[in-house]
Amino acid sequence: MKKLLFTLLLIPTLLMAQNRPDWDYDVRQPISVDFPQKLPFYNDYLPLQNTYYELNVTLNNIRKLVTDNLKMNPKQNAPSGSGFQYEIYTNPTHRLPLKVKYNTFTAYGLEVVKSIEINGDFKDVATLFIYMYDTNYSVNEMPINKATKHYKQDYALFTVNKEGKASIVISNTKYNDNTAEFIKDFNTTKEALKINQTNTN
C-alpha cells in the first residue's frame, strides 16, 4: 500500500518536473511569439500582442487597462478551469459587468493565451477596443455593428448585438488554434538561444 501511494505521488511530480521550463526562466522573458525578447518594467498598459503570450502577462496587462481607463475593479473568485480563465470587472456606476475570458493551453507547465473573448456594455467594450489597439475611433464614432483591428498577429473583431451589448473576440492570425505549431516554433527559438548562450560562454 505504501509503495502504491508513493508511486501515485511520484508520477505527478515527475510530470511536473518534465513540463517545467528547461532554460533560465525569467518572468520578464515570457513564453510568447516575441521570445526571447525581454519585457521592460512597466506600471501602465503596455501595447503587446495579447494572444500566444503567457497568461499572467496578458491578464495583468489588460487588467491595468481596465482598472486605469474604465475605472472597473476585478471581482474576486472569477471562474477558471482547464483551458480557460475568466476576469470579471464591476463598478457600481456600470450597468453590466465586463467579462474577459482567456482561452489557454499549457506549455512547459505555464498557461499561454490562445484567444480572448470580451463581453459587456457597449461603452465599456468599445473603450477597451480603442485603448487596447490604439484604434482611431472615439466611442461616439464606433461603427454601429462591427469593427476590426490587426495588431502583429492579433485579429480583434468588435461586434454589437441588438440589445446594445458588445463583444470583442481576439484570435491569432498565424497560429489560430494550432498550439502544437506554436510550441514547435517556440522550441526552435529556445534551442537557438541555448546554443547562442553556450557559444558566448
Side-chain angles (χ1 to χ4, degrees), residues 94-160:
H94 288 65
R95 187 169 54 86
L96 290 171
L98 182 75
K99 297 178 181 177
V100 183
K101 181 185 180 189
Y102 301 91
N103 298 305
T104 64
F105 65 98
T106 304
Y108 291 98
L110 298 165
E111 292 298 299
V112 178
V113 175
K114 182 169 54 175
S115 62
I116 303 170
E117 302 166 43
I118 302 168
N119 292 280
D121 185 66
F122 171 85
K123 187 173 181 183
D124 294 330
V125 178
T127 302
L128 189 60
F129 182 75
I130 289 165
Y131 279 113
M132 187 181 288
Y133 291 110
D134 194 21
T135 312
N136 296 323
Y137 295 119
S138 73
V139 173
N140 296 327
E141 295 170 335
M142 284 296 289
I144 295 169
N145 295 320
K146 188 182 288 188
T148 60
K149 182 73 176 184
H150 288 269
Y151 183 80
K152 295 188 177 180
Q153 294 174 8
D154 279 359
Y155 175 74
L157 173 63
F158 171 90
T159 54
V160 183

Side-chain angles (χ1 to χ4, degrees), residues 61-75:
N61 201 33
I62 290 177
R63 184 184 286 172
K64 286 177 196 214
L65 189 57
V66 174
T67 55
D68 291 350
N69 292 287
L70 274 66
K71 307 302 180 192
M72 299 179 84
N73 301 309
K75 189 177 177 181

Side-chain angles (χ1 to χ4, degrees), residues 39 94 196:
L39 295 174
H94 288 65
N196 188 41

